[in-house]
Amino acid sequence: MKIAELFRDRTVFSFEIFPPKKNSSIETIYDTLEDLQDLHPDFISITFGAGGSGNGANTLAIARRLKEQHGVTPLVHLPCIHDTKADIDGVLQQFQENGIENILALRGDRVEGREPARDFCHASDLIQHIHRQGDFDIAAACYPECHPEAPNLDTDIRYLKEKVDAGASHLISQLFFDNDTFYDFRYRTARAGIQVPIEAGIMPVTNRKQIERMVTMCGASLPRKFTKMVQCFEDRPEALRDAGIAYAIDQIVDLVTDGVDGIHLYIMNNAYVARKISEAVSGILKASRNSTAAK
């Protein structure tokens, strides 16, 4: 199943997971997949290794398991900054041999102590290359509040347009906590001629350290409402988890009401959080899909 086809008749709902680190058993994530199975996401994306480990073999194994044992469409992340064309071609061949059709093409983060391979300087270069190698559906990432390395949002959107022009069929946004930020970004992309579906990336906050790390990495701003929530419950872990889930649900309801193309939930391998949110929003997603199908 090509993921791009899903956006034609529904508000897409998906999860992101990551493989365990090299010194951890892959069985830990398999247990998570069992817990996620009956939530019926439209697809699940799998990052390429964990923490820059490049643990790509586990990524492929998880994708195969999703597809073959759980009947869930996998979207496999593929970073390129430290890989040669030969490296990428080898990975693409493995994807083809295992029936993996969907790729999230990324430049990827620079790994300390490793020099970039320089065959792919930008995600758009990788997207063009993938199209020449096989019949894949290619997604790309976007940043509602601007990529940390871009000088400004207008420049970043011009780079995003290059990804779409290179062949990205849909986009997945980095996390954000203020929906107005996403709506402004969506308006700007449309004005720039970007017409592919954009999934909104939502991360439920379950602890303060998690959010501090993610905000440092992606540059998301924290609205006053969110900051007050974290400050109020930071010393009560279960209360903060529940408040974070409620905040994410509130974001999703507002986004679906405003006609978002899809919701991509960064669940941090936490099946409990995924279940609570899925159960809370299943009714509005169903109503949204019925409304879309009737048009």
Side-chain angles (χ1 to χ4, degrees):
M1 164 69 74
K2 300 288 181 62
I3 290 173
E5 299 172 8
L6 299 175
F7 291 95
R8 296 174 183 171
D9 62 357
R10 69 183 72 183
T11 304
V12 172
F13 187 63
S14 57
F15 302 146
E16 177 178 293
I17 60 174
F18 54 85
K21 294 183 179 180
K22 288 185 177 181
N23 58 355
S24 300
S25 170
I26 196 171
E27 295 298 326
T28 59
I29 192 63
Y30 288 166
D31 292 341
T32 301
L33 299 186
E34 292 288 341
D35 292 337
L36 296 175
Q37 180 171 268
D38 64 339
L39 300 182
H40 307 295
D42 290 303
F43 68 89
I44 294 180
S45 74
I46 312 108
T47 66
F48 202 77
S53 67
N55 196 4
N58 277 351
T59 299
L60 180 57
I62 294 165
R64 286 186 56 186
R65 193 177 185 96
L66 278 172
K67 179 181 174 70
E68 297 171 4
Q69 296 194 28
H70 300 289
V72 177
T73 298
L75 171 69
V76 179
H77 293 214
L78 184 59
C80 63
I81 190 169
H82 291 291
D83 289 316
T84 65
K85 289 182 179 179
D87 294 330
I88 293 296
D89 288 347
V91 174
L92 294 177
Q93 182 176 350
Q94 288 183 311
F95 289 171
Q96 288 177 316
E97 291 172 352
N98 288 279
I100 305 302
E101 299 179 289
N102 300 282
I103 298 172
L104 177 58
L106 305 162
R107 187 203 69 177
D109 297 324
R110 294 181 174 87
V111 178
E112 187 175 353
R114 292 182 62 189
E115 286 295 320
R118 302 192 185 283
D119 281 5
F120 303 98
C121 296
H122 307 285
S124 55
D125 301 328
L126 176 61
I127 292 168
Q128 289 179 332
H129 184 77
I130 293 172
H131 269 301
R132 291 194 290 266
Q133 302 306 310
D135 184 24
F136 295 102
D137 183 43
I138 306 171
C142 59
Y143 288 73
E145 298 185 72
C146 188
H147 191 285
E149 296 180 20
N152 54 60
L153 186 55
D154 286 340
T155 301
D156 196 31
I157 289 175
R158 286 201 298 272
Y159 293 148
L160 183 62
K161 181 68 161 54
E162 291 178 5
K163 297 181 191 180
V164 174
D165 290 345
S169 65
H170 54 105
L171 305 171
I172 299 176
S173 91
Q174 187 53 269
L175 62 93
F176 58 90
F177 299 102
D178 184 344
N179 285 5
D180 285 341
T181 298
F182 179 80
Y183 298 143
D184 178 67
F185 173 75
R186 190 172 59 179
Y187 168 77
R188 288 169 177 256
T189 56
R191 189 176 61 183
I194 295 172
Q195 298 180 340
V196 299
I198 304 175
E199 263 200 295
I202 299 296
M203 174 177 280
V205 175
T206 57
N207 63 75
R208 184 170 188 132
K209 287 185 177 179
Q210 172 197 56
I211 196 56
E212 287 175 347
R213 176 176 177 270
M214 294 307 298
V215 168
T216 299
M217 290 177 62
C218 70
S221 61
L222 304 181
R224 182 172 178 270
K225 176 182 177 181
F226 179 88
T227 302
K228 285 180 64 179
M229 178 194 76
V230 174
Q231 290 173 344
C232 181
F233 300 114
E234 62 182 324
D235 296 325
R236 289 169 284 174
E238 288 189 6
L240 179 58
R241 179 200 64 193
D242 292 344
I245 290 171
Y247 191 97
I249 291 169
D250 185 56
Q251 279 192 275
I252 293 169
V253 171
D254 182 69
L255 287 161
V256 173
T257 302
D258 204 77
V260 73
D261 295 312
I263 302 292
H264 192 61
L265 205 59
Y266 295 103
I267 65 170
M268 303 302 289
N269 292 6
N270 190 322
Y272 174 86
V273 171
R275 180 170 298 279
K276 286 294 184 181
I277 293 176
S278 297
E279 290 174 350
V281 303
S282 62
I284 64 165
L285 288 172
K286 182 178 180 180
S288 173
R289 291 171 180 178
N290 290 342
S291 175
T292 301
K295 291 180 180 179

